[in-house]
Amino acid sequence: NNELYAGGNFSVCDTTAASCFAKWNGGNWQPILGITGKINGFQVVDSALYIGGNFVHGNDTVTAIKWTAGGGFTEFVNTPHNVVNGFAIYKDTVYAVCNSARAYPGQCSFQIVNDSFVPFYYLGASINFYDSYAGFRVAFTDNDTLYFGGSFDMDFYYQYRNILSFYTGPFQTNFFLVDSTVNTFCLFHNTLICGGIFKKVTDYVSY
């Protein structure tokens, strides 16, 4: 609705105390209070804003929550154990992507059905996937394709992959060199552009 919101990990908007969530009112940033922690991603779903991250709402620690201008914050029926990094809408279903964690390795993508997070695709939980940085960082849709990006394990011998795509047929993986990470996607003139840090021969480069 032509509104601009910001989320992250901050405690001040201009000179006003804030807590990770704010709205632009045309002249400055206005804090939206009610949660504390860190916001990683947003998705507009009907009249609600789906928020992913790791934060506290009331007495509950959650990794996702809904917010509306008229109703404030509303918790989902459940949320993933792993930190939610982002969302995407694919074929009228909302998907959420997450980090991995030692306690819940491989639980990195979910469908949101009736306000519940339902596991969608499990990654192999090999030893290198226990690292907290591994997992899906971003979700993106392009026509009939759903993309997950990040740094994740698809096979043995520490072979990380960076892009996983789903469409009418089976999924496929695309990847840069080992240890690269996709943090964001952008579609420009029918070309999918990846942003992140990528390993080129022996050097790391960011795009």
Side-chain angles (χ1 to χ4, degrees):
N1 296 322
N2 296 318
E3 303 285 0
L4 179 62
Y5 298 92
N9 184 13
F10 50 85
S11 58
V12 175
C13 290
D14 294 327
T15 58
T16 305
S19 181
C20 75
F21 188 26
K23 175 183 177 181
W24 181 251
N25 65 11
N28 51 50
W29 288 101
Q30 176 183 348
I32 299 175
L33 304 178
I35 57 174
T36 58
K38 180 183 178 182
I39 291 176
N40 292 332
F42 293 116
Q43 177 67 54
V44 176
V45 182
D46 298 325
S47 61
L49 192 63
Y50 284 23
I51 304 171
N54 188 20
F55 30 76
V56 174
H57 174 247
N59 295 321
D60 299 327
T61 299
V62 295
T63 57
I65 200 166
K66 294 188 295 183
W67 181 85
T68 60
F73 293 99
T74 304
E75 293 187 16
F76 290 96
V77 174
N78 66 331
T79 60
H81 295 285
N82 295 336
V83 174
V84 174
N85 289 321
F87 306 91
I89 299 175
Y90 177 63
K91 297 185 182 298
D92 298 323
T93 299
V94 182
Y95 291 78
V97 292
C98 308
N99 287 344
S100 183
R102 181 174 295 274
Y104 302 95
Q107 297 183 14
C108 294
S109 64
F110 295 81
Q111 293 177 324
I112 303 177
V113 180
N114 296 326
D115 279 350
S116 294
F117 283 74
V118 180
F120 170 63
Y121 183 82
Y122 277 78
L123 291 170
S126 63
I127 186 170
N128 56 318
F129 202 68
Y130 291 144
D131 298 329
S132 61
Y133 67 83
F136 294 138
R137 298 290 187 89
V138 60
F140 181 79
T141 54
D142 169 22
N143 297 323
D144 291 329
T145 304
L146 171 66
Y147 297 95
F148 292 162
S151 182
F152 47 88
D153 183 35
M154 289 293 295
D155 50 29
F156 300 104
Y157 306 113
Y158 292 85
Q159 294 296 306
Y160 275 87
R161 298 295 185 256
N162 316 102
I163 305 173
L164 183 63
S165 55
F166 299 86
Y167 43 88
T168 305
F171 72 84
Q172 70 178 37
T173 59
N174 303 283
F175 58 95
F176 302 95
L177 293 182
V178 176
D179 295 335
S180 298
T181 302
V182 173
N183 291 325
T184 187
F185 291 121
C186 176
L187 187 67
F188 182 72
H189 291 179
N190 296 318
T191 299
L192 186 66
I193 299 173
C194 305
I197 182 167
F198 309 102
K199 191 174 184 180
K200 182 179 180 181
V201 189
T202 59
D203 299 322
Y204 286 90
V205 291
S206 299
Y207 293 99

